Structure formats: structure tokens, C-alpha cells
Amino acid sequence: MSKTAKRDINLSFFMFTANLQPGNEAYTEVIIRHIKAMTELGYDGFDLPIHPVQTTDHAAEVESYTRMRRAFDRAGLEGVRFTTNVGTTRTFDPTSPYRQQREQALAYLKSRVDITAVLGGASVMAGPFVFPYGVFPTTDDGDPIWSDALQEWLKPRYEVARPVLQELGEYAERKGVKLGIEPVDHWETPAPNMVSDVLDFLRGVQTAQTGLTIDSAHVVLGSNGPLVFEDNLRTAVAQKRLHYVHISAPDRGAVHDSWIPWGTFLRPILPVYHGPLLVEVFNAVPPFTNLLRLTRRKFWIPGEDEPEPGLPSAYDIAREGLATLEREIGRLSHTH
């Protein structure tokens, strides 16, 4: 099977960093070197993390990414496609009960749409951008809120967030950017955790520009079984809300030898989704070592780290991940 004729496959820059450091010209050159190496391996595009900064000067942020894109173009990367990964924070929280804070969150998220448009043009902004990532609710006494109590706590938060995501979707449509809310496992963030959670939330958001990202790791680790998954998939496709698909191992490491249930996950997706597939490997780089509590060694990064004899490099893992995904696409496409 010809990959370029059938499917575009992107690589997550979480392999290398969670912060592109826009404005750091020396690090931009490092990024360019990695992009060139990965395109030589056969990747069609890249998913770039847009680091949250506690500032309301979003115009300056957008300009810093604009300069980065110009540097990419000068380096001969004009034809490379980019998507982005975005999360919300305690400061920029669209679920806040306080209107002013929700307005700040909307301005923040609009700036991330602008950055996505600058970097990738008509592209996709994906990630956990409803509830602040990694921020867990507590009672006034500091006790964690879980189970039924958590579901009740979430209801009014979802309600006030829907108008924010509606307006954001309308703004993103004008920019040509699709939004893919990503459900993330319950030990990483309180909600939404499952594909069905995002679909329930989206019932109150009219624009289909605000849609869904499906990630194999989260489907395997934190959702219902294959029958519910296929039903959710049909709903997302019927609503034209399936905007991105991530291929990630349950341990968030190497894809090529992992517990990804290729047939169960990918077979129902391939006939109905024709956008890019993202190979997403979380390398043991800050802040993932703490956020994901990674115990495995880092995949050493060529040009940044000293080679580790006997250990794979980030480039090795990326190469094997691409080859594995191409092989599984070909195998499953022939079994339909």
C-alpha cells in the first residue's frame, strides 16, 4: 500500500518537547533539524504543542509563532503540514463559574486558534481544552471529589463551558481551523474522560467545527468496550465531528511493540475517517516525567543528548512507529 496515496501520518512533537520555545532562535533551528529528519523517514506532518503561558498578551504570543513559521519556510519547510495540541489551565478555564475567567479562557483559546492557523493553515487544534488539564476538584475541606459527587460537580461546569466552545467553534470556522476535544484518562484530568463524555458535551454545542479527537491510549485505558466505541464512532461521524485520530500506546511509549488493539481500534475507523493519523509517543521530557509519572528511561534525542548504548533513540522509535502504523493500515484495509 502506498502511504502517501492513502493516508497522511503525522508525528507528535511530544517525542522531543512540550515547549517549542517560540522566540528562541537557537531552539527553532533544533526543531527544524528534527522536522527535516522525520520527513526523510516518511512522516507527512507534525503535531506541535502550544505551551500555555500565564499572560494575557496573546498578540505577542501569536507573533512569536508567526516568526517561527517564517523560519520554517526559510528552511524549506513550506509544504509541511502542522496541527497543534492545546490544553486549558487554572487561569484560562472555560468551565469556571466566574464570567470574567471564562472570557479570559475564550481569549486564550482564540489565540491558540490563531497560532494553529499561523502554523498549519486550515488545520486541526486538538487536546484537552474543556477542563483544565491535570486540575482535580476538591471540597472546601480539601478532600478529592470523585464518582457520583464528581458527576454532579461537573454538570454546571459543562453548562457554562458550552457557550464558550460554541463561540470558539464559530471563530475557528472563520479561521479554517477544526477543533478536536480530546477525552483524557481519569488519572490525568477529571473530565471529559471518554469519547461518550465529549459527545454528551457537544450536544449543547451547535457548530460541528467543535468536534472530537480519538486517542487509542485513552480508548483502551479509560472507556467502555468495543461495541460502545463503535456506536460512539458512528455518532461522531454522522455529526461530522471526528476531526483527528491519535495512535498512542497505553503506556504512552513506543508504538511498534505495544498493547494497541489494532483491529478493534483501527478497523472501524479506517472506512469512515480520512484525515491524518497521528503517531503520539510521550518521551520522558519535562513536564511528562512528572505529569505522567514516567518510570522508563528517556528515548535519547539525536543532536541534543549523548547516545545511550543499547537504548533506542527518539528517531528509532519514530521510524518503527511509522512502519508499524503503515503495516497495520495495509493489513486492516485488506480485511474489510
Side-chain angles (χ1 to χ4, degrees):
M1 185 189 78
S2 170
K3 169 182 67 64
T4 53
K6 298 294 184 181
R7 298 283 171 174
D8 287 335
I9 300 178
N10 296 349
L11 177 69
S12 170
F13 241 74
F14 287 155
M15 179 70 81
F16 305 110
T17 185
N19 185 357
L20 300 174
Q21 302 177 41
N24 182 340
E25 294 182 6
Y27 192 63
T28 295
E29 292 302 314
V30 173
I31 292 169
I32 289 170
R33 187 170 68 246
H34 292 323
I35 291 173
K36 288 183 174 179
M38 296 299 99
T39 54
E40 288 175 3
L41 288 183
Y43 281 99
D44 300 293
F46 300 88
D47 191 61
L48 302 179
I50 308 305
H51 193 67
V53 179
Q54 302 306 315
T55 178
T56 55
D57 188 2
H58 300 308
E61 286 188 275
V62 175
E63 178 56 30
S64 70
Y65 284 97
T66 301
R67 291 194 298 270
M68 174 179 284
R69 177 72 229 203
R70 290 175 186 150
F72 290 172
D73 293 346
R74 288 194 299 270
L77 302 177
E78 302 96 329
V80 178
R81 292 184 295 276
F82 298 98
T83 58
T84 63
N85 190 286
V86 169
T88 47
T89 69
R90 286 183 187 272
T91 301
F92 302 117
D93 179 2
T95 75
S96 170
Y98 305 106
R99 180 178 57 82
Q100 184 177 6
Q101 192 172 9
R102 295 196 301 274
E103 291 173 350
Q104 288 180 340
L106 178 59
Y108 163 82
L109 288 169
K110 284 182 175 179
S111 75
R112 270 53 197 162
V113 170
D114 293 339
I115 291 168
T116 304
V118 162
L119 291 174
S123 187
V124 181
M125 181 182 105
F129 52 80
V130 178
F131 283 90
Y133 178 80
V135 178
F136 293 90
T138 62
T139 66
D140 291 342
D141 295 327
D143 295 324
I145 299 174
W146 292 111
S147 192
D148 292 355
L150 175 62
Q151 299 308 311
E152 293 304 312
W153 183 89
L154 290 172
K155 285 180 181 179
R157 299 268 175 164
Y158 276 134
E159 285 299 320
V160 296
R162 285 187 174 105
V164 176
L165 272 296
Q166 171 69 30
E167 185 172 344
L168 182 67
E170 293 169 356
Y171 182 81
E173 187 170 11
R174 294 194 293 272
K175 294 286 184 173
V177 173
K178 291 183 178 180
L179 306 177
I181 299 169
E182 181 178 2
V184 174
D185 293 309
H186 60 273
W187 53 83
E188 290 185 45
T189 205
N193 305 130
M194 299 190 290
V195 172
S196 56
D197 293 340
V198 176
L199 291 175
D200 288 345
F201 172 75
L202 289 174
R203 287 192 184 121
V205 178
Q206 292 182 352
T207 173
Q209 201 78 8
T210 303
L212 171 72
T213 293
I214 293 179
D215 185 309
S216 60
H218 302 310
V219 167
V220 170
L221 290 173
S223 69
N224 301 111
L227 296 180
V228 171
F229 172 67
E230 291 190 22
D231 183 63
N232 289 337
L233 181 62
R234 283 191 292 269
T235 299
V237 170
Q239 296 177 2
K240 298 182 179 180
R241 291 189 191 264
L242 179 55
H243 294 332
Y244 212 179
V245 173
H246 293 183
I247 308 298
S248 190
D251 72 343
R252 315 302 267 157
V255 166
H256 67 276
D257 184 17
S258 71
W259 289 103
I260 296 175
W262 293 104
T264 304
F265 177 75
L266 205 52
R267 182 180 286 110
I269 287 176
L270 291 176
V272 296
Y273 172 76
H274 305 289
L277 299 166
L278 177 71
V279 173
E280 186 178 51
V281 177
F282 285 75
N283 206 345
V285 297
F288 301 133
T289 48
N290 293 333
L291 286 174
L292 300 181
R293 295 170 173 82
L294 296 181
T295 59
R296 57 177 163 80
R297 289 190 180 276
K298 179 185 177 184
F299 305 126
W300 62 271
I301 301 174
E304 297 187 51
D305 304 320
E306 289 296 322
E308 292 279 348
L311 293 178
S313 75
Y315 287 13
D316 295 329
I317 298 300
R319 181 185 298 106
E320 293 290 343
L322 178 61
T324 299
L325 180 52
E326 288 180 333
R327 183 173 63 249
E328 292 298 335
I329 291 171
R331 181 178 68 85
L332 294 170
S333 295
H334 288 120
T335 60
H336 288 154

